[in-house]
Amino acid sequence: MVRPIGALVGLGFVFVLLFSLITGAVNFIKEPPAPTVEHEFHLHPKKLDLASNGPLGKFDRQQLQRGFQVYKEVCAACHSLHYVSFRDLQAIGFSEAEVKAIAKQWAIEVPSVNPDTGEAATRKAEAADKFPLPYANDVAARAANNNAIPPDLSLMAKARHDGAAYVYSLLTGYQDQPAELLKHFPDAKTGAGLHYNPYFANLNLAMPAPLVADGQVTYADGTTASVDQMAKDVSAFLVWTAEPKLENRHATGVAVVIFLLIATTLAFLAYRNIWAGTKH
């Protein structure tokens, strides 16, 4: 008696499930969801070719140094890089002396303690220090940025889908709102203090375009600092801050693949040798 009842209950669940599925599909066809402004006008990141792309990718250290210069002269005023130390810059080609000079010349001093009085103080940054925060706290950050807190950029290239391409697209994607958008979604007009960018999730963000003109920075290696070039360079730099061991990971992956190929070949040859005299 228990089994037939259990079977009936199971069939009832299946029937309800199928009924809900069919009803939902019919309603979706008859009354599809209304399009949203984000769905209609949000763009996927542009394609970005960097030397670090792909399983065999390696960093272009000249580009990373240019990207650091863009971060230092443009982005550091608002965005932190708090998971990176000054001495880490040696990995992208700066000498120890250059790193010490960069830390000492940094515009923001780091918190410290007066050794004589024990009171809070500040001092010049040192190579062992992490990059200082641009604001004393979140309240100060909001007050200076239209009530928005600029995110830390240390892991941005991993925190966003297509991280480097996303950063590049965002930096080069500022534009006026399309007339078609305002025609179909008049309530979606960009508000005061916001800036339209189709590569941002909700199309409007508090950050104004940071890269506004060619030649905004002067590259030490003589590369022409167009807006497009600066955006590519700082995107490449943020790939490095997010994955400083990327080259080691790629090299390890190649070594493992080669080892597995050799091991598989040896195992197959051993199999053929051991079973060579056996008839099937």
Side-chain angles (χ1 to χ4, degrees):
M1 187 66 182
V2 175
R3 288 184 179 180
I5 293 175
L8 288 174
V9 171
L11 287 173
F13 275 117
V14 171
F15 174 77
V16 171
L17 198 63
L18 288 173
F19 179 78
S20 299
L21 180 63
I22 294 171
T23 303
V26 170
N27 289 335
F28 180 84
I29 294 171
K30 287 183 175 180
E31 298 180 13
T36 63
V37 61
E38 291 85 357
H39 179 268
E40 293 291 315
F41 290 91
H42 177 63
L43 300 179
H44 293 289
K46 307 172 189 177
K47 184 178 180 181
L48 178 63
D49 293 321
L50 296 176
S52 56
N53 288 354
L56 301 178
K58 293 187 176 182
F59 289 123
D60 178 344
R61 280 164 173 72
Q62 272 196 315
Q63 184 174 45
L64 296 186
Q65 291 186 24
R66 294 196 304 267
F68 168 68
Q69 186 177 348
V70 176
Y71 167 76
K72 177 183 176 183
E73 298 184 20
V74 179
C75 309
C78 299
H79 293 276
S80 57
L81 206 64
H82 198 54
Y83 295 101
V84 182
S85 299
F86 285 102
R87 62 186 174 190
D88 293 335
L89 295 175
Q90 292 185 56
I92 65 173
F94 289 106
S95 67
E96 184 177 351
E98 288 174 324
V99 169
K100 289 181 178 179
I102 289 170
K104 187 175 182 180
Q105 294 167 5
W106 202 253
I108 303 169
E109 296 187 343
V110 299
S112 182
V113 175
N114 187 316
D116 298 322
T117 64
E119 296 180 351
T122 59
R123 59 170 174 77
K124 292 289 185 181
E126 299 175 353
D129 292 320
K130 295 186 181 298
F131 282 84
L133 300 174
Y135 300 103
N137 50 55
D138 288 350
V139 175
R142 288 185 183 278
N145 294 278
N146 195 29
N147 204 37
I149 301 177
D152 183 87
L153 298 182
S154 306
L155 303 176
M156 186 57 66
K158 292 185 72 174
R160 298 291 185 271
H161 179 63
D162 290 333
Y166 167 80
V167 173
Y168 167 72
S169 300
L170 194 74
L171 292 175
T172 57
Y174 286 88
Q175 57 185 265
D176 295 330
Q177 277 190 306
E180 186 180 355
L181 182 153
L182 296 176
K183 177 182 177 181
H184 292 90
F185 303 94
D187 295 336
K189 183 176 176 61
T190 298
L194 297 177
H195 307 271
Y196 180 78
N197 193 314
Y199 296 99
F200 193 64
N202 66 2
L203 307 181
N204 299 287
L205 68 166
M207 180 179 72
L211 302 176
V212 295
D214 295 345
Q216 195 168 339
V217 302
T218 302
Y219 285 139
D221 63 1
T223 300
T224 301
S226 65
V227 169
D228 188 76
Q229 185 65 54
M230 290 185 289
K232 287 179 179 177
D233 293 341
V234 76
S235 299
F237 174 69
L238 293 180
V239 172
W240 172 77
T241 64
E243 289 197 85
K245 303 298 183 183
L246 178 141
E247 291 177 324
N248 292 340
R249 179 166 59 81
H250 286 179
T252 301
V254 171
V256 168
V257 169
I258 293 173
F259 169 78
L260 291 175
L261 288 174
I262 294 174
T264 301
T265 302
L266 292 176
F268 176 73
L269 293 175
Y271 161 79
R272 292 293 299 272
N273 184 58
I274 293 172
W275 298 96
T278 304
K279 294 183 178 180
H280 297 283

